[in-house]
């Protein structure tokens, strides 16, 4: 199976990180999202963390009001976040594990082992029309559990692959890529839509984009960093070009 168009979700969290460094209103993540939309992003991803270290509640209000492309609302499985998601009814909700002390989302969600809790948590979100995805490690148990509890979408955590690439650990990179490759295929076989994200760069995106069953990549930190040098629109356009080249 080949999906023709590989969607690019641009994560704008780190525009908010820069804004929050000075506590004012600039740079505005909503403006960044509109630039991303104009540059060919298929969706915008924003993670409202419990500690509001980057995206804040008013950003979600602004994104919901301004965007024509879908918002993928990333959040931890807490009652507070569920209520916020139900109020906004974004196109997609991506459930991620969250630890206060972590620098970024370090691991995947433990789905296997908390099937019932997560299924019950997802139910109202799905009833409200949100496409729920679970951010999991490329691990068979987690993929199977995600399918078992009726999640329509999984996002595989590419962090270990991306780190190995960045650090020149080629054997680890290849073994992480083969785990992702296998779990993309397995998830698809189980009827899941499969996304991949975390840590992807111009160097590391190609082999992931080339996997024919992957429907969407979510990429943030690298693009926002690259935007300092090229501008946000061109940084996104280059990522798009590399994805299309790999897919072709
Ligand atoms: N996908 C998910 C589920 C994430 O949590 C993140 C990071 O917030 C990303 C994608 C984007 O990762 P990065 O900013 O490293 O590209």
């Amino acid at each position: 199976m080949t999906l023709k168009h590989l969607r690019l979700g641009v994560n704008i969290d780190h525009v908010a990180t820069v804004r929050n460094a000075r506590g004012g209103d600039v740079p505005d993540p909503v403006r960044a999202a509109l630039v991303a939309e104009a540059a060919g992003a298929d969706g915008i991803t924003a993670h409202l963390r419990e500690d509001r270290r980057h995206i804040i509640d008013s950003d979600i209000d602004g994104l919901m009001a301004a965007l024509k492309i879908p918002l993928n609302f990333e959040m931890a499985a807490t009652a507070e976040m569920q209520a916020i998601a139900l109020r906004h009814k974004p196109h997609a909700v991506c459930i991620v594990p969250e630890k206060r002390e972590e620098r970024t989302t370090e691991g995947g969600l433990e789905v296997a082992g908390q099937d019932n809790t997560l299924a019950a948590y997802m139910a109202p979100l799905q009833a409200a029309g949100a496409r729920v995805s679970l951010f999991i490690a490329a691990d068979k148990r987690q993929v199977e559990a995600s399918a078992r509890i009726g999640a329509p979408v999984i996002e595989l955590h590419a962090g270990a692959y991306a780190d190995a690439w960045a650090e020149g650990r080629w054997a680890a990179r290849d073994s992480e890529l083969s785990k992702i490759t296998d779990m993309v295929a397995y998830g698809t076989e189980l009827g899941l839509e499969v996304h991949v994200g975390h840590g992807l760069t111009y160097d590391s995106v190609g082999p992931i984009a080339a996997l024919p069953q992957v429907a969407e990549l979510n990429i943030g930190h690298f693009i926002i960093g690259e935007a300092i040098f090229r501008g946000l629109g061109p940084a996104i356009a280059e990522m798009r070009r590399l994805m299309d080249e790999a897919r072709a």
Side-chain angles (χ1 to χ4, degrees):
M1 180 194 63
T2 301
L3 295 167
K4 274 195 284 303
H5 182 72
L6 172 60
R7 292 198 302 273
L8 170 60
V10 174
N11 180 316
I12 50 146
D13 291 351
H14 297 300
V15 177
T17 303
V18 176
R19 178 207 43 209
N20 296 357
R22 284 294 170 92
D25 296 332
V26 294
D28 176 12
V30 177
R31 182 175 166 199
L34 292 173
V35 171
E37 188 175 85
D42 300 287
I44 297 296
T45 294
H47 183 179
L48 185 67
R49 294 187 79 104
E50 186 196 11
D51 63 8
R52 309 304 197 265
R53 72 173 73 154
H54 38 58
I55 294 293
I56 56 176
D57 299 64
S58 58
D59 294 328
I60 302 295
D61 298 340
L63 290 167
M64 285 301 297
L67 284 178
K68 290 196 199 71
I69 53 176
L71 176 67
N72 176 29
F73 179 60
E74 255 185 51
M75 56 178 231
T78 65
E80 182 201 17
M81 290 300 152
Q82 190 188 53
I84 294 171
L86 289 173
R87 198 162 68 241
H88 286 293
K89 299 189 175 50
H91 166 83
V93 167
C94 179
I95 302 179
V96 303
E98 206 177 286
K99 287 188 238 123
R100 219 169 234 275
E101 64 281 8
E102 71 191 352
R103 213 183 299 165
T104 182
T105 313
E106 281 166 4
L109 202 58
E110 176 54 43
V111 183
Q114 54 159 344
D115 293 34
N116 295 339
T117 329
L118 259 184
Y121 186 84
M122 281 169 25
L125 297 167
Q126 292 180 292
R131 266 174 87 65
V132 174
S133 74
L134 303 177
F135 189 46
I136 58 172
D139 174 272
K140 199 166 182 209
R141 277 176 63 243
Q142 306 300 342
V143 175
E144 278 169 353
S146 302
R148 193 165 60 233
I149 67 171
V153 183
I154 51 172
E155 180 165 331
L156 299 179
H157 198 312
Y161 161 76
D163 287 347
W165 192 297
E167 291 158 18
R169 291 182 286 109
W170 306 131
R173 174 198 63 181
D174 294 348
S175 94
E176 293 301 331
L177 178 61
S178 92
K179 280 189 217 162
I180 292 173
T181 304
D182 291 349
M183 289 308 113
V184 167
Y186 188 51
T188 307
E189 208 179 291
L190 296 181
L192 297 163
E193 179 175 306
V194 183
H195 302 176
V196 182
H198 207 94
L200 295 174
T201 67
Y202 291 158
D203 286 336
S204 58
V205 75
I208 302 288
L211 302 173
Q213 310 96 327
V214 175
E216 178 174 307
L217 301 182
N218 284 298
I219 309 179
H221 182 263
F222 179 83
I223 287 178
I224 302 307
E226 192 64 16
I228 295 169
F229 304 105
R230 311 182 183 229
L232 183 55
I236 292 168
E238 176 62 3
M239 190 60 85
R240 177 79 262 166
R241 189 189 70 72
L242 291 165
M243 287 164 57
D244 291 343
E245 185 179 85
R247 184 59 59 113

